[in-house]
């Protein structure tokens, strides 16, 4: 037997590096830990039950990485996950989504380090802008109280 890295370290690395292999491994690890076995079916069951325990749901999630073309998550479901992640009452269970050490920031860390590093676009809503201009403008949006950090 050997001692590996902590789960929190793995989660941080997974999020910062967008590591799908770690995501899939953690997906099955949670399933095994909860008694559903380390199978895709067991992992989907564990995932649904864990979301439900947080008061959340997804239309259909088939994997841990989000790469399955069969995954379905509505905009409202995603907004609820983000809202829950920012709620201080859930910091014990959803801490990675509140952590600068775990979440990439556009133009600064993780796989986003070299993306969205240009200056903000003059693109305005309703104007004739390219997708690249819109993405650049979006990445430089700053929510209230964010102290100048890009909204990612």
């Amino acid at each position: 037997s050997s001692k590996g890295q902590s789960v929190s370290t793995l989660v941080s690395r997974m999020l910062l590096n967008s590591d799908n292999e770690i995501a899939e491994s953690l997906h099955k690890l949670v399933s095994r830990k909860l008694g559903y076995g380390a199978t895709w079916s067991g992992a989907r069951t564990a995932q649904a039950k864990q979301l439900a325990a947080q008061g959340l749901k997804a239309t259909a999630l088939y994997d841990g990485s989000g790469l399955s073309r069969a995954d379905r998550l509505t905009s409202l479901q995603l907004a609820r996950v983000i809202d829950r992640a920012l709620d201080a009452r859930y910091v014990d269970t959803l801490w990675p989504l509140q952590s600068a050490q775990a979440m990439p920031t556009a133009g600064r860390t993780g796989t986003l380090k070299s993306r969205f590093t240009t200056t903000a676009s003059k693109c305005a809503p309703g104007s004739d802008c390219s997708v690249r201009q819109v993405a650049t403008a979006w990445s430089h949006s700053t929510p209230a109280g964010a102290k100048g950090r890009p909204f990612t």
Side-chain angles (χ1 to χ4, degrees), residues 41 64 72 81 102 106 126 136:
S41 177
R72 297 292 180 265
V81 168
T136 301

Side-chain angles (χ1 to χ4, degrees), residues 24-65:
E24 296 298 354
S25 296
L26 290 172
H27 190 227
K28 288 184 177 181
L29 179 66
V30 168
S31 176
R32 184 171 175 232
K33 180 76 173 168
L34 295 177
Y36 297 103
T39 65
W40 291 112
S41 177
R44 283 193 301 271
T45 300
Q47 186 177 57
K49 290 193 179 286
Q50 287 302 295
L51 284 169
Q54 296 292 327
L56 301 167
K57 71 176 192 168
T59 302
L61 294 176
Y62 290 90
D63 61 358
S65 65

Side-chain angles (χ1 to χ4, degrees), residues 5-99:
Q5 297 177 331
S6 67
V7 171
S8 63
T9 298
L10 291 173
V11 169
S12 293
R13 179 180 295 152
M14 175 195 69
L15 292 170
L16 277 174
N17 298 324
S18 191
D19 191 317
N20 297 317
E21 296 295 327
I22 293 175
E24 296 298 354
S25 296
L26 290 172
H27 190 227
K28 288 184 177 181
L29 179 66
V30 168
S31 176
R32 184 171 175 232
K33 180 76 173 168
L34 295 177
Y36 297 103
T39 65
W40 291 112
S41 177
R44 283 193 301 271
T45 300
Q47 186 177 57
K49 290 193 179 286
Q50 287 302 295
L51 284 169
Q54 296 292 327
L56 301 167
K57 71 176 192 168
T59 302
L61 294 176
Y62 290 90
D63 61 358
S65 65
L67 293 177
S68 172
R69 291 178 187 236
D71 287 345
R72 297 292 180 265
L73 189 67
T74 69
S75 300
L76 181 57
Q77 290 166 341
L78 180 58
R80 286 183 175 148
V81 168
I82 293 169
D83 182 62
R84 184 63 47 86
L86 298 175
D87 188 327
R89 293 176 294 174
Y90 297 93
V91 72
D92 289 341
T93 54
L94 298 173
W95 65 265
L97 300 176
Q98 297 180 4
S99 169

Side-chain angles (χ1 to χ4, degrees), residues 132-149:
R132 180 174 294 238
Q133 288 170 314
V134 171
T136 301
W138 172 78
S139 71
H140 284 80
S141 299
T142 305
K147 298 180 182 155
R149 291 182 56 209

